[in-house]
Amino acid sequence: MVLVSTARHGAPGRIRIIGGSLRNSRLDVADMPGLRPTAERLRETLFNWLAPIISGARVLDLCAGTGALGIEALSRGAASVQFVEREARVARAIEQNLARLKQADGAVAAMDAEAFLRGAGRPHDLVLLDPPFALGLWKALAQQLEQGGWLATAALIYVESPRTVTLTLPPNWQLQRESHAGDARGALYRRT
């Protein structure tokens, strides 16, 4: 994740949910160096793509950061969201936002994504994969998702990365759509 100001999304330290039952709700964002909320434009594009399938989906938000992607999924009717965030203070902020917004279908694991994926896999319909850009974890996490039983048969995987980085992802992940916002690329893959 790359540091960006949240001021353009609202008050400093807050971003807003853009659609669904929680539309215009504000999320408190922990003050943490390197925390990069997904740009509002990319979030809106992603959830427009997901509109036909998000209702009732089981979602895994890896490297959740602010939790904005997963909370947006809950707002739009996802059945459940498992958030995974390694920074304890940031994970607590997600838990506090979920409690304040009365979102009981969200659970937070305060641990490293790679360690989480070494656990017993439970298939998810949608995975939100947005690791800190500087760590270059896309390939390792994608392999763990694919091999560990974390993906439903025709799961969708949203991958956010720098525009200039070429990713090595499992060959059975077929690109469905992609968009760009600033230096970030958002791509939606379907597992085949």
Side-chain angles (χ1 to χ4, degrees), residues 41 133 138 160-167 178-186:
R41 187 174 121 213
F133 287 2
W138 297 278
E160 193 165 320
S161 62
R163 236 178 165 163
T164 56
V165 170
T166 300
L167 300 178
E178 69 180 306
S179 185
H180 301 92
D183 293 335
R185 172 183 180 256

Side-chain angles (χ1 to χ4, degrees), residues 61-119:
D61 189 353
L62 279 177
C63 308
T66 65
L69 288 175
I71 293 173
E72 193 81 51
L74 287 169
S75 178
R76 293 169 186 251
S80 64
V81 178
Q82 174 64 64
F83 297 85
V84 181
E85 173 51 49
R86 71 181 178 158
E87 297 293 337
R89 191 164 51 124
V90 178
R92 274 193 308 278
I94 296 170
E95 288 174 335
Q96 290 166 352
N97 282 320
L98 290 169
R100 183 175 49 80
L101 297 171
K102 298 176 176 48
Q103 296 302 301
D105 294 322
V108 181
M111 63 189 305
D112 177 78
E114 290 177 291
F116 178 84
L117 292 176
R118 284 193 289 272

